[in-house]
Amino acid sequence: MAARFLSFEGADGAGKSTQARRLAATLRAEGRDVVLTREPGGAPGAEEIRRLLVEGEPGRWSPVTETLLFFAARRDHVERTIRPALDRGAVVITDRFTDSTRAYQAASRPDGAEGAPAALIETLQREAIGLSPDLTLLFDIAPEAARSRSLARGGEEARFEGMGAAFQARLRAAFLALAAAEPARFAVIDADGTEDEVAGRVLAAVLPRLGA
Ligand code: TYD
């Protein structure tokens, strides 16, 4: 079956947002209908929830509260943006989806807070979302290389970057474990390299899966 719903995942600073834009542009140049979107956000209501999540102190929300907010935003994103686009036959590329919740909200926090239970995350995914990507590209990079990219970019939305190096290392391991558990859905992309090199790896992973 041709893949039409693609997600891009990885810890902060892996360069996936740039690569998502490039892939969307390449596919549009081939004449495909492509919807490029992101989480948290991707619909007007979900973008309002985004601000609550990515700004402010690292300890602003507990992992369970965060999980509920991310899933509220995700439900809105699926209802208003992703489902309508898939129904009209578009390719959807989302910069992050439920795997980010599985990695970020399930990880324990620098302040010692326990991560959200996997059972909660999977129940919300099943009952409120019910849709999974056909193909997930995991952008994998050493945390030190990722950190210099995140810092170079700066900005207001650094709440998760502010959780520190050990947290970012836990995220990397969590994402790799998700990929190992579902090898048919995931392609792990080595995100270390020039933008053009990584873009070549992305196309090599995606084009065979898209179909005509
Ligand atoms: P994003 O805009 O992708 O940030 P970046 O461009 O730095 O990768 O995502 C914002 C932050 O939200 C990012 O640090 C990851 C976090 N996040 C979660 O913790 N859980 C989630 O389910 C999602 C979608 C994002």
Side-chain angles (χ1 to χ4, degrees):
M1 256 262 299
R4 286 206 292 108
F5 180 27
L6 314 186
S7 64
F8 279 33
E9 294 283 2
D12 300 283
K16 68 188 163 41
S17 307
T18 305
Q19 294 295 338
R21 279 195 298 276
R22 280 185 68 145
L23 177 65
T26 303
L27 297 179
R28 282 177 185 140
E30 289 183 350
R32 291 180 196 266
D33 180 5
V34 178
V35 171
L36 173 62
T37 186
R38 68 159 182 188
E39 290 203 350
E47 290 287 339
E48 289 189 44
I49 298 172
R50 177 185 177 91
R51 278 199 297 281
L52 297 173
L53 284 161
V54 300
E55 296 178 9
E57 290 305 307
R60 182 177 185 186
W61 309 108
S62 76
V64 169
T65 312
E66 256 173 46
T67 297
L68 297 170
L69 287 168
F70 275 111
F71 271 104
R74 183 163 301 129
R75 172 72 192 208
D76 189 50
H77 185 207
V78 168
E79 281 179 3
R80 310 284 168 124
T81 302
I82 296 176
R83 184 53 85 186
L86 292 173
D87 284 349
R88 72 163 200 259
V91 171
V92 174
I93 301 171
T94 184
D95 185 348
R96 299 193 183 280
F97 201 65
T98 302
D99 296 309
S100 279
T101 308
R102 294 181 173 119
Y104 282 77
Q105 276 63 56
S108 56
R109 294 295 156 89
D111 63 6
E114 287 280 314
L120 172 68
I121 295 170
E122 297 313 323
T123 299
L124 290 167
Q125 167 61 27
R126 192 176 62 245
E127 302 296 333
I129 305 300
L131 179 68
S132 278
D134 302 311
L135 176 63
T136 297
L137 301 195
L138 171 57
F139 288 76
D140 183 55
I141 191 166
E144 312 77 63
R147 184 161 172 75
S148 49
R149 284 195 195 163
S150 297
L151 291 178
R153 186 183 51 183
E156 307 277 290
E157 298 192 332
R159 187 170 158 251
F160 289 93
E161 284 93 328
M163 293 186 190
F167 181 72
Q168 292 292 330
R170 285 203 291 283
L171 292 178
R172 184 188 196 194
F175 276 119
L176 287 171
L178 292 170
E182 275 188 86
R185 175 164 70 87
F186 275 88
V188 180
I189 303 290
D190 176 3
D192 201 358
T194 66
E195 205 185 296
D196 286 346
E197 283 165 352
V198 179
R201 294 171 196 151
V202 169
L203 282 182
V206 169
L207 291 183
R209 297 289 301 273
L210 279 186

